[in-house]
Amino acid sequence: MSFRYPVPNEQQSERLRIHGMDPGAYMVISADKDGRIYLKHYKTGDEVWIHPNSLKFAQQRI
């Protein structure tokens, strides 16, 4: 049986690169429309949340 983990899309990958993180090392557990991403590191099993700057996000929506 083959199972594929959800990988970051292009937009999510770019956000990870901005933070110095390798997109290929993470699977996406969940992603919200408001820009939050919940990730799990393949090797360590650590879970990471990325939240956008709420002030910046609010200005982009105006």
Side-chain angles (χ1 to χ4, degrees), residues 31-47:
D32 297 337
K33 290 181 181 179
D34 63 356
R36 290 182 291 181
I37 308 170
Y38 184 35
L39 306 155
K40 186 169 190 168
H41 192 272
Y42 288 121
K43 186 175 180 180
T44 64
D46 291 341
E47 296 175 354

Side-chain angles (χ1 to χ4, degrees), residues 5 8 10-11 17-18 20 28 34 38-39 42 46 49-50:
Y5 294 103
E10 281 301 314
Q11 182 183 10
R17 285 187 204 98
I18 288 170
V28 178
D34 63 356
Y38 184 35
L39 306 155
Y42 288 121
D46 291 341
W49 275 101
I50 296 180

Side-chain angles (χ1 to χ4, degrees), residues 1-6:
M1 181 173 163
S2 155
F3 183 79
R4 181 177 166 91
Y5 294 103

